[in-house]
Amino acid sequence: MSGVRAQQKEKTRRLLIDAALKQLSAERSFSSLSLREVAKEAGLAPTSFYRHFSDMNELGLTLVDEAGLTLRQLMRQARQRIAKGGSVIHISVATFMELIESNGNVFRLLLRERSGTSAAFRAAVIREIRYFTMELCDYLQQANDLDGEVAYMQANAAVTIVFSAGSDALDIDDKVVREQLSKQTIQQLRFIARGAAELSDRRKAGRKN
Amino acid sequence: MSGVRAQQKEKTRRLLIDAALKQLSAERSFSSLSLREVAKEAGLAPTSFYRHFSDMNELGLTLVDEAGLTLRQLMRQARQRIAKGGSVIHISVATFMELIESNGNVFRLLLRERSGTSAAFRAAVIREIRYFTMELCDYLQQANDLDGEVAYMQANAAVTIVFSAGSDALDIDDKVVREQLSKQTIQQLRFIARGAAELSDRRKAGRKN
DNA sequence: AACAATAGCGTACACGTGCACACTCAAATT
DNA sequence: AATTTGAGTGTGCACGTGTACGCTATTGTT
């Protein structure tokens, strides 16, 4: 196993993945992609596809995994910025919006497959979003000293709001309108943070009595 | 124009609409439906389809319109229940969850086409959701005497949370888990309501000084 | 050096698709 | 009563699809 062969295989595997990603757009969903199209874009014969994936489904799940990875990188990036000081909510929203702008099609993939027709896809997307939510939950719990259940509800609501805003942002070209959307999203996240903090306090007070 | 003919036409038009709705499911999206399938389900020859819709697209937009109608009926229904007394948030969530249970496929249609590949579909869905949001916004503004902009942000966030919960509910069979989801959603809506009320108060106080 | 494994190719097939076209025949109009 | 309209039919075409099959050529193993 010198690797010359395996290395080449990995290379064309990436070619296929990238070919699929490249064809994704606002007008083109993964499910509308055909095996032949992807193979062609990768410069392969249709039948060679099977040397790497048994199925378009398998390719799709790989893409979802990669998208989840992107999401986790985003979280790390946001944390680094936060460590340098500034409003947590503001920085998080800004970082997320930058993802939308630079990796719109990856995000679209997640949004679409979350409500798609394949149970496996839906489960995979939900899993990735859950990771994301859980990481935020831990952070909130520690940073704001929240009740665990309350922190989860806040994290869940926050992720929902941010993803929805991201979805809206995908259809907005005007930079000014986008900024407006960010501002609104930030305010909504503050609503949630405020409500969560109060409930957490009330619960803690209840326990002491 | 005695109507015997027009009446029959309307009847088979409904047949087509119902056929399409019938074929929608968790595993079957509208975009995956073919003209031939729909026509067959309606008991028509494929080519007869064109006497009623120029396109599958046109049928789809009609379905989205109907879904929007369903949404507005839901709002009315919730209001009637609220008038009889009880927690506004609780009743609203319960009513919405009933819609998910009885009209899951209609709701799925909205969710999917909102992030679909057709700009026209996306616009149509967004329009319907906006109507819904605006109606809620008016209600919140009047009932809670809120600042207009704040009321909109609250309505927008609330609809986002509820729709997301609805989307989750579609994949939950267990009634207990569903109830848990409802409880969580109610709590999240309270977070938002709390935060919105505070901001609105602060704004009003600011104006007086 | 001989052999096995395998990435990639080209051909071929059956299938479902949207849609064009030329019909029929009942309802509506004149 | 004569004519026009239009809802619904059946046939047929060109196209894109997934994938089975047998092949080549290169790498890895013995």
Side-chain angles (χ1 to χ4, degrees), chain B residues 128-141:
Chain B
E128 297 298 338
I129 295 181
R130 193 186 349 256
Y131 286 155
F132 192 72
T133 304
M134 282 310 183
E135 227 174 303
L136 178 58
C137 180
D138 287 349
Y139 174 81
L140 289 174
Q141 203 172 350

Side-chain angles (χ1 to χ4, degrees), chain A residues 23-92:
Chain A
Q23 312 214 21
L24 290 180
S25 72
E27 296 80 23
R28 210 82 165 69
S29 73
F30 177 78
S31 53
S32 81
L33 251 52
S34 79
L35 186 152
R36 288 169 110 102
E37 280 176 311
V38 174
K40 189 172 191 176
E41 173 76 36
L44 287 187
T47 45
S48 302
F49 179 95
Y50 295 103
R51 302 289 184 190
H52 304 273
F53 303 97
S54 70
D55 221 47
M56 278 295 283
N57 250 346
E58 206 174 299
L59 209 204
L61 290 176
T62 304
L63 291 187
V64 171
D65 277 359
E66 291 225 349
L69 202 71
T70 306
L71 226 47
R72 267 167 268 148
Q73 286 170 349
L74 172 86
M75 177 81 79
R76 254 177 261 147
Q77 198 184 329
R79 281 213 182 138
Q80 284 178 359
R81 288 203 204 172
I82 290 169
K84 290 178 185 166
S87 157
V88 173
I89 289 181
H90 196 287
I91 292 173
S92 301

Side-chain angles (χ1 to χ4, degrees), chain A residues 4-175:
Chain A
V4 174
R5 201 185 184 101
Q7 202 176 329
Q8 186 55 36
K9 178 164 186 182
E10 193 54 37
K11 214 170 164 182
T12 68
R13 183 188 147 98
R14 263 249 70 87
L15 232 53
L16 281 169
I17 293 176
D18 291 340
L21 281 176
K22 190 176 173 187
Q23 312 214 21
L24 290 180
S25 72
E27 296 80 23
R28 210 82 165 69
S29 73
F30 177 78
S31 53
S32 81
L33 251 52
S34 79
L35 186 152
R36 288 169 110 102
E37 280 176 311
V38 174
K40 189 172 191 176
E41 173 76 36
L44 287 187
T47 45
S48 302
F49 179 95
Y50 295 103
R51 302 289 184 190
H52 304 273
F53 303 97
S54 70
D55 221 47
M56 278 295 283
N57 250 346
E58 206 174 299
L59 209 204
L61 290 176
T62 304
L63 291 187
V64 171
D65 277 359
E66 291 225 349
L69 202 71
T70 306
L71 226 47
R72 267 167 268 148
Q73 286 170 349
L74 172 86
M75 177 81 79
R76 254 177 261 147
Q77 198 184 329
R79 281 213 182 138
Q80 284 178 359
R81 288 203 204 172
I82 290 169
K84 290 178 185 166
S87 157
V88 173
I89 289 181
H90 196 287
I91 292 173
S92 301
V93 170
T95 309
F96 197 83
M97 286 302 183
E98 283 167 26
L99 172 79
I100 302 299
E101 215 155 343
S102 63
N103 287 69
N105 292 336
V106 171
F107 186 65
R108 261 185 263 261
L109 174 75
L110 288 177
L111 282 180
R112 282 177 178 151
E113 298 311 327
R114 181 169 56 156
S115 60
T117 53
S118 156
F121 272 53
R122 267 177 281 145
V125 173
I126 286 173
R127 181 166 45 81
E128 298 299 338
I129 294 181
R130 195 191 344 261
Y131 285 157
F132 192 73
T133 304
M134 282 310 181
E135 228 173 303
L136 177 60
C137 179
D138 287 351
Y139 174 82
L140 290 174
Q141 202 173 350
Q142 291 192 355
N144 302 345
D145 190 33
L146 290 182
D147 172 88
E149 204 185 341
V150 173
Y152 176 74
M153 287 193 291
Q154 178 181 356
N156 183 282
V159 169
T160 300
I161 292 290
V162 170
F163 268 61
S164 170
S167 169
D168 290 344
L170 284 173
D171 268 349
I172 298 176
D173 296 322
D174 190 343
K175 203 165 181 177

Side-chain angles (χ1 to χ4, degrees), chain B residues 67-84:
Chain B
L69 202 70
T70 306
L71 226 48
R72 267 167 266 147
Q73 285 169 348
L74 171 86
M75 179 80 81
R76 254 177 262 149
Q77 198 184 327
R79 281 212 182 137
Q80 284 177 358
R81 288 202 204 173
I82 289 169
K84 290 177 185 168

Side-chain angles (χ1 to χ4, degrees), chain B residues 98-126:
Chain B
E98 284 167 25
L99 172 79
I100 302 299
E101 215 155 342
S102 63
N103 288 70
N105 292 336
V106 170
F107 186 64
R108 260 186 264 260
L109 175 75
L110 288 177
L111 283 181
R112 282 176 178 153
E113 298 310 328
R114 181 170 54 156
S115 60
T117 53
S118 156
F121 272 53
R122 267 178 280 146
V125 172
I126 286 173

Side-chain angles (χ1 to χ4, degrees), chain B:
Chain B
M1 186 173 67
S2 80
V4 173
R5 203 185 182 99
Q7 203 176 330
Q8 186 56 35
K9 179 164 186 182
E10 192 54 36
K11 214 170 166 182
T12 70
R13 183 188 147 97
R14 263 248 73 85
L15 231 55
L16 280 170
I17 292 176
D18 290 341
L21 281 175
K22 191 178 173 186
Q23 311 214 23
L24 291 180
S25 72
E27 295 80 24
R28 211 82 166 71
S29 72
F30 178 77
S31 53
S32 80
L33 251 52
S34 78
L35 185 151
R36 287 167 110 105
E37 280 177 310
V38 174
K40 189 173 191 176
E41 174 75 35
L44 286 186
T47 44
S48 303
F49 179 94
Y50 295 103
R51 302 288 183 191
H52 303 274
F53 303 97
S54 69
D55 220 47
M56 278 295 283
N57 250 346
E58 204 174 302
L59 209 204
L61 290 175
T62 305
L63 291 188
V64 172
D65 277 359
E66 291 226 347
L69 202 70
T70 306
L71 226 48
R72 267 167 266 147
Q73 285 169 348
L74 171 86
M75 179 80 81
R76 254 177 262 149
Q77 198 184 327
R79 281 212 182 137
Q80 284 177 358
R81 288 202 204 173
I82 289 169
K84 290 177 185 168
S87 156
V88 173
I89 290 181
H90 197 288
I91 291 174
S92 300
V93 170
T95 308
F96 197 82
M97 287 302 183
E98 284 167 25
L99 172 79
I100 302 299
E101 215 155 342
S102 63
N103 288 70
N105 292 336
V106 170
F107 186 64
R108 260 186 264 260
L109 175 75
L110 288 177
L111 283 181
R112 282 176 178 153
E113 298 310 328
R114 181 170 54 156
S115 60
T117 53
S118 156
F121 272 53
R122 267 178 280 146
V125 172
I126 286 173
R127 181 166 44 82
E128 297 298 338
I129 295 181
R130 193 186 349 256
Y131 286 155
F132 192 72
T133 304
M134 282 310 183
E135 227 174 303
L136 178 58
C137 180
D138 287 349
Y139 174 81
L140 289 174
Q141 203 172 350
Q142 291 191 356
N144 302 345
D145 191 32
L146 291 182
D147 172 89
E149 205 186 341
V150 174
Y152 176 74
M153 287 193 291
Q154 177 179 357
N156 184 281
V159 168
T160 300
I161 293 291
V162 170
F163 268 61
S164 170
S167 169
D168 291 343
L170 284 173
D171 268 350
I172 298 175
D173 296 322
D174 189 342
K175 203 165 181 179
V176 178
V177 180
R178 249 166 136 128
E179 196 51 44
Q180 203 178 336
L181 175 63
S182 286
K183 282 213 176 0
Q184 178 186 293
T185 306
I186 289 169
Q187 193 57 256
Q188 289 171 331
L189 292 180
R190 289 204 176 120
F191 287 173
I192 294 167
R194 184 75 202 163
E198 269 193 30
L199 176 59
S200 181
D201 285 351
R202 242 182 301 140
R203 284 202 181 176
K204 275 191 266 182
R207 273 189 221 110
K208 281 180 185 169
N209 298 349

